[in-house]
Structure formats: structure tokens, C-alpha cells
Amino acid sequence: MKLAEFKKAGHWPTLLAAFLYFDISFMAWVALGPLIVYIARDMNLAVNEKFTLVAIPVLAGALLRVPMGILADIIGAKRTGIIAQLVVIAATAAVWHFGLTSKLAIELFGLALGVGGASFAVALPQASRWYPPQYQGVVMGIAGAGNMGVVLDTLLAPTIAEHWGWQAVFGCLLIPMLMVLAYYAVAAKDAPGERKKVSLQAYGALLKDSDSRWFMFFYFITFGGFVGLANALPLYFTVQYHVSGVAAGMLVALIVAFGSGFRPVGGMIADRIGGIRSLSILFGVVVAAYLVIAFMPEGPTAPTQAGWALTELPRIAWISVLLFSIGVLALGMGNGAVFQLIPLRFRHEIGLMTGLVGCAGGVGGFFLAQTLGAAKGMTGGFGAGFLFFGGLALLGFIGLAMVKVRWRTTWGAVSGARV
């Protein structure tokens, strides 16, 4: 791919604006993950309740993706994006000023942060509509790489919370949120051509197509795994390996950086060798990673109540970090591979499909966090939760084997790209 040709093929200011919009929205969406240890410190909550709280924004974001997609088709992606950013900014400013003093307040704030998670249904089709089929993998990978916002969250939020209190994190977050809103309002443009207004009935009709359900399942595994782990791992490391909040944030930042940074790579590789082949390989890696992680033992108790510092971590914790990094890298690349295929199959329904598939991915993230919390509450460990999602990844591998011949000989044969 030549950069000069790529820049001429679409509208790069919109692609950059979509990336930044998704990035800052993703930062807000997953903010509770690295901060729940601090926010709920004096609330006497059980571990499974904390996992539920960090999962609420994920579920809200998933459920809001369909109505956000509909709204974008009605009033345009740019207007929808601006409205969504204003909602999240207002909620963030309120928490920065007033704080969160109860479990109910955290739950309500989580619902508001879900609007940030729903940005997926606006930013990705907004960028995709500007580019031809042969660039869909890399375009959707770049726009979707906005999920690297979670890296900054997990890296910086615990340190800020330790020094200035957790409310200061949201005050700091407001600064880039306002800057991105200003750039987005100026640079982003809706693609030319008449918008097709859609309804819930249109989503229902699309759901009758078995291909749409397969894509939803694949993204349930890949994006659900990525966002679920991004939210749950800070709490997981503090419980399983007794690390400090700051150390947990740094470890998770390292892990999710692989998934975020390699999403465009996953799209580019899928453009070159085909999304089916690349996704099959990646599912195999995910199955192996989850299987090994499920049988990892708990780490030794830290000598102080604050937990292990980063320089003091036991070896078992570093082994776990390596395994999670491999697994999350595969999940992130899998996200790019899925969205290399979707525009080829549903070129004229990309907005609808982004909403449906994005919803499925968000629901996957919610269930992963909930499953880990339930496994800990019921069995005293997290192994059963990882075994369950490893089984889902195996089903995804089998599903690809079932559909690959039909896909390659029907719509893949006339798509203009490698499938």
C-alpha cells in the first residue's frame, strides 16, 4: 500500500477525527476499570460487585450502539458524534466536581460513560464510507485503533489517583476531551451521497442473514475479549497477584497496548492474506492463551497492605503479563480482521452492521467481566471464567471453518479484495 495513493483515496482529516473521537470516548468508557479500587475503597463492596460495576459502562455502550447508529443515519455521523461527546463531557465534569458517593451513583455514571462506548457505531462507518474496498482493512483498523485510549487510562489514572485523588483523573480527562471535540467539529465531514435512513425493522431484517450473526459472534469474542479484559484486568491483578493499584495500571497498560497498537496490523494482514485465514490463526492463539491462563496459580501475598510495587512483582505475575499480552495482541488483531471482512460483505449496510457487531462486541466485554467476577465468587478463582471464553474462541475457530468455502465462493469472489 502506497501512502500517497491511500491519502488520495479518501478523506484523511475525517479518518483522523474519527480516530481521535473514538480514542477519547474509549478513554472515558473504560475509566472505571483502573479506578474502581480507589472509588469503592470505603464502600465495603465484594469482589464480584466491583466486577459488575466496571462492566456496566461496557454493557451500556453495547446497547446504545444500535440507537446511535440509527441517529447517525438520520442526522449524520458528525452531528451525532458532537452530541455524544457533549453528553460524556457533561457527565465527566459533574463527577469531577461532585464525586461518586454511593454504588448507585457509580452505576448511573457508568450508564453515561456508555455513550462513549457507543461512539464505535459512529466513528468507524464515518471513516469507512470515504474509502474503496481495497483499503477497508487498514481504514477500519486505524479508526478502530482509537481503543488505545485504554492504554493511557490504565497507565496514568492510578498514578494521578494516588497523588491527587481519583476525582482529579476526570478533571484531567476533560482537557483532551474538549480539544478533540474542537478538532472533530472542524475537521470531520460526512461522506458524500444520500444517507439511507434506517429503522429497527432494518436491523431486524439484517439479523435474519446468517452472515451478520456470524460476524456478531466473532466480534463478541475478539472485541468482547479486548474490552472486557481492559476493564477487568486492573482489578484482577490486585486480587490474583496482590499488586498495588499503580502497578496494576502499568501492567494492564502494557498488555492492552498490544491489542490497540496491532489492530491496524490485523487489518493490513487481513487485506493481504484474507480475513478468514488471519482470523482462524488468531482464534487459535486466543484459545491457547486463555487455556494456560485458566490454570495459573494465585500469587504470593504482598508484605504490605498497599500491594506489590512494580519492581517487586513475583515471577508468576510477569508470566501472567506475558500470556495476557499474547492473547490480547491476538484479540486486537482479530478486531481488525473482522472489520476487513464486514465492509466487503455488507458494503451498503456498513452503518447497520457496525451497530449490530459493535453491540455484540460490547456485550461480550460485559459478559467476560461478569463471568470472571462470578467465577471468583463461586469457585474462589478465575479459572472457570477463562475456560469459558477459551471455549467460545474455539467455537469461533470451528465457525470459520464452516463458512469459509461459502464466503469465498459467493460474495468474497466479487468483493474486489482477498477474503
Side-chain angles (χ1 to χ4, degrees), residues 175-379:
I175 299 172
M177 291 174 80
L178 291 170
M179 293 173 64
V180 169
L181 174 60
Y183 177 78
Y184 182 88
V186 172
K189 295 184 182 298
D190 291 335
E194 184 179 356
R195 289 192 303 270
K196 289 173 57 178
K197 296 184 179 180
V198 297
S199 61
L200 289 175
Q201 287 78 11
Y203 281 98
L206 197 58
L207 276 172
K208 295 179 181 178
D209 190 314
S210 63
D211 288 351
S212 69
R213 298 194 296 271
W214 277 116
F215 282 128
M216 291 173 69
F217 178 57
F218 296 150
Y219 210 61
F220 180 96
I221 298 167
T222 60
F223 186 77
F226 174 82
V227 73
L229 290 175
N231 273 276
L233 282 184
L235 188 55
Y236 169 84
F237 276 109
T238 60
V239 174
Q240 183 76 354
Y241 298 111
H242 313 286
V243 306
S244 68
V246 173
M250 291 182 177
L251 294 177
V252 178
L254 174 64
I255 292 167
V256 299
F258 286 101
S260 300
F262 278 83
R263 178 169 179 149
V265 177
M268 293 174 66
I269 292 175
D271 283 337
R272 179 164 302 216
I273 70 172
I276 294 175
R277 182 180 300 173
S278 60
L279 194 56
S280 297
I281 296 170
L282 294 168
F283 275 151
V285 175
V286 172
V287 171
Y290 277 145
L291 182 64
V292 178
I293 289 169
F295 293 98
M296 291 286 286
E298 185 176 346
T301 303
T304 65
Q305 188 175 3
W308 294 106
L310 190 66
T311 56
E312 304 169 336
L313 290 183
R315 182 187 303 175
I316 189 67
W318 286 114
I319 295 174
S320 180
V321 169
L322 175 62
L323 291 170
F324 276 117
S325 297
I326 294 171
V328 171
L329 182 147
L331 291 169
M333 293 180 67
N335 291 334
V338 171
F339 268 91
Q340 184 263 352
L341 293 168
I342 290 175
L344 303 179
R345 172 63 178 86
F346 295 101
R347 176 65 176 172
H348 301 293
E349 300 90 6
I350 184 62
L352 288 166
M353 279 303 299
T354 302
L356 284 175
V357 173
C359 177
V363 171
F366 169 80
F367 275 104
L368 187 146
Q370 281 288 82
T371 300
L372 292 180
K376 179 65 175 177
M378 296 171 62
T379 68

